Amino acid sequence: MQFRLTMQNNEVLTFDQSTIFRAANSLAPENEPNRDVFYMQLAVENSFDNISASSTSFGTSDPYLGICGVLGKTDFFQIEGKESWYNCKSVIKITIED
């Protein structure tokens, strides 16, 4: 199974069900002495291979609903093998191919 996420800038991110997918929410610093500091709290770190064993990570065993739910409830995501974190609001299309 291949996941394809099309971003607003037309970049296409592709990964398979065994790839670790991380999602996080942004947090405002408790006191803001340095506005350049950015905080995130990890919400999900799992692969879709593991959702049948632990469906609580994605909330469902359906991969499409799982990825849509995670992207809708978090602010940023990262795909194993890429250093960048991506803004969830930048995803414009989700495709899953068997």
Side-chain angles (χ1 to χ4, degrees):
M1 183 180 328
Q2 289 285 325
F3 294 83
R4 291 176 186 246
L5 304 179
T6 305
M7 308 301 285
Q8 283 179 336
N9 64 358
N10 290 324
E11 179 181 5
V12 177
L13 304 173
T14 304
F15 60 99
D16 65 25
Q17 74 253 20
S18 63
T19 304
I20 298 294
F21 185 88
R22 296 174 188 90
N25 287 308
S26 59
L27 300 173
E30 291 179 21
N31 50 17
E32 299 184 23
N34 183 353
R35 292 187 180 267
D36 295 331
V37 176
F38 182 76
Y39 299 92
M40 290 192 303
Q41 181 177 16
L42 192 64
V44 171
E45 182 175 33
N46 211 340
S47 70
F48 282 88
D49 271 346
N50 294 328
I51 62 173
S52 59
S54 172
S55 63
T56 57
S57 292
F58 293 99
T60 179
S61 60
D62 182 303
Y64 184 78
L65 293 178
I67 193 85
C68 289
V70 168
L71 293 174
K73 294 292 260 179
T74 56
D75 299 315
F76 297 95
F77 70 93
Q78 182 186 48
I79 299 168
E80 180 181 29
K82 298 204 178 262
E83 289 186 32
S84 298
W85 283 85
Y86 299 90
N87 189 323
C88 292
K89 292 178 183 175
S90 297
V91 177
I92 60 170
K93 183 178 179 184
I94 300 168
T95 307
I96 299 176
E97 298 173 356
D98 287 327

